[in-house]
Amino acid sequence: QAAQERGLDVEYFHCSSDPDSLDGVSLPALGVGMMDGTAPHVEEPRLPGSDGDYLTLPPLLDGEGLRQKAGALYALKAASSAHYAQAYRLLKAAALLREDRRARAAALLTRQPVQRKEALLREIPKGPGPGIVRRRFLEGVTPKGCLCLWNTVKDHFSRVIALRDSYGLADPLLEGLLEGALERGQEVYACYDPVEPERLRH
């Protein structure tokens, strides 16, 4: 909020375990970011004090009160770990089902997506300098279901081209568009699949 009041662009990184809270914010114009570096996404500065730093919150905790509840807290932590493990097993199973569906659909694929890629590349003008890619997630699997931050798209882009892709076959087309945009010197936000993070979604 303080950065916005000063007219700075802010990127928000929502927590997939609790989409109503933030795991981090980035101020691209300043090259500065702040993130929640606690488990399960522990993050350490490479050189604290020069390329990053710590803001340590434990002194604000009620240590005595927490020690009195240690037994209950350990039980909750164990239950949480078990639920996380189950969730990741189910996500892995979903990824395997997607892979099988893609393989079956790919056997019927024509050359049409390649032709469409060439047509879409003609829509991308030359940029002012070398291409830059910013890798992000636009959507996530959360306790509230699969959420996509469509407002991010609506608020920042005047034109949206939707790829209707029921079988997960758009990744090669998007990779080609990403490569072409970078060759044209554009700044590109590449948004990946939260279930298969090696595959492009947007």
Side-chain angles (χ1 to χ4, degrees):
Q1 186 177 354
Q4 285 184 322
E5 290 171 356
R6 288 162 174 77
L8 295 171
D9 288 332
V10 183
E11 287 186 31
Y12 298 94
F13 296 85
H14 291 266
C15 175
S16 59
S17 295
D18 179 8
D20 292 327
S21 71
L22 292 175
D23 267 349
V25 293
S26 172
L27 310 176
L30 302 181
V32 172
M34 182 176 287
M35 67 185 70
D36 175 1
T38 57
H41 40 66
V42 177
E43 188 71 27
E44 300 280 351
R46 288 172 298 178
L47 295 171
S50 60
D51 78 339
D53 216 334
Y54 298 98
L55 177 64
T56 307
L57 298 179
L60 305 177
L61 299 177
D62 177 6
E64 181 58 34
L66 291 171
R67 280 189 288 274
Q68 292 175 8
K69 299 178 180 179
L73 292 172
Y74 276 116
L76 286 171
K77 185 173 178 60
S80 173
S81 296
H83 285 304
Y84 264 102
Q86 181 187 32
Y88 282 115
R89 286 195 300 271
L90 293 171
L91 288 173
K92 185 176 181 179
L96 291 172
L97 288 171
R98 283 181 171 190
E99 184 179 349
D100 182 70
R101 183 174 61 177
R102 277 196 304 271
R104 292 171 183 270
L108 307 174
L109 193 64
T110 68
R111 297 288 296 173
Q112 204 174 31
V114 176
Q115 297 165 359
R116 288 180 178 171
K117 183 188 83 170
E118 296 306 318
L120 288 170
L121 283 174
R122 288 195 291 271
E123 300 279 336
I124 302 175
K126 284 280 188 181
I132 300 172
V133 61
R134 302 189 188 280
R135 304 184 192 280
R136 301 287 188 268
F137 289 102
L138 187 65
E139 54 192 318
V141 180
T142 81
K144 294 186 173 183
C146 295
L147 297 183
C148 188
L149 303 177
W150 287 117
N151 282 341
T152 297
V153 177
K154 184 181 69 175
D155 293 344
H156 291 84
F157 303 99
S158 58
R159 185 178 182 211
V160 177
I161 298 173
L163 303 176
R164 298 192 179 277
D165 178 29
S166 302
Y167 294 93
L169 297 172
D171 175 63
L173 174 59
L174 291 170
E175 287 284 0
L177 293 172
L178 171 61
E179 183 180 338
L182 292 176
E183 289 174 355
R184 286 161 171 74
Q186 293 290 347
E187 179 183 11
V188 186
Y189 279 83
C191 299
Y192 289 82
D193 190 316
V195 177
E196 300 174 278
E198 72 283 356
R199 299 181 66 84
L200 267 176
R201 284 276 287 173
H202 313 284

